[in-house]
Amino acid sequence: MTEPHQPPDPQSPRPPQSPQPPQGPRYPEYHPGSARPELNRPVRERYPQIRPTSGYGDSRVRRTGPGPGAGTDQEPERSAKLTARLTLAMTVVIGQLWGLTVVVDEWMEGNTGTAWWGAGFLCLSFVVVLGLWLLDPKDR
């Protein structure tokens, strides 16, 4: 049962109101070549905290951009070895997916002997991938 809404008593104390969040400085909308001169000041006047020595003007910076040889392969032998291992591992994974399909089909048809041989193939291919992974531990 609901009671009818009554207007608040003007004599009763009001509940405390939550304080309004402080409004930050509102910046005027800038248009290039604005008619307002304060918006067309040079960068060093608008941002005095940026000094000539901050960033690109730092005397410790001799050259910009990447160093010599950037973007080229520093160890082509290692890259070739990793690419070969990745290709072999992807081939084994594709073979495992194919083998899993065959095993499930044979199992569903009731050929459990063939399915167990297929499961052995899947385990063997997993051991091959594990062996490739253990082959060179410094590349991990």
Side-chain angles (χ1 to χ4, degrees), residues 16-113:
Q17 294 181 354
S18 62
Q20 293 291 332
Q23 297 292 331
R26 301 215 14 118
Y27 298 105
E29 187 175 336
Y30 174 72
H31 300 287
S34 178
R36 299 178 57 193
E38 69 269 10
L39 297 177
N40 293 325
R41 295 176 297 161
V43 172
R44 63 183 168 275
E45 290 180 17
R46 283 185 280 160
Y47 303 103
Q49 70 273 21
I50 298 177
R51 294 180 175 77
T53 57
S54 61
Y56 67 89
D58 195 342
S59 61
R60 294 171 290 181
V61 177
R62 299 281 183 240
R63 294 183 184 93
T64 61
T72 60
D73 197 359
Q74 301 296 322
E75 297 181 56
E77 296 85 12
R78 181 174 181 265
S79 176
K81 182 172 53 171
L82 290 176
T83 302
R85 286 170 61 189
L86 181 64
T87 304
L88 188 59
M90 287 190 315
T91 305
V92 170
V93 167
I94 291 171
Q96 284 178 331
L97 291 173
W98 170 79
L100 184 62
T101 304
V102 171
V103 167
V104 169
D105 284 345
E106 291 297 320
W107 185 269
M108 291 299 197
E109 289 177 4
N111 300 331
T112 56

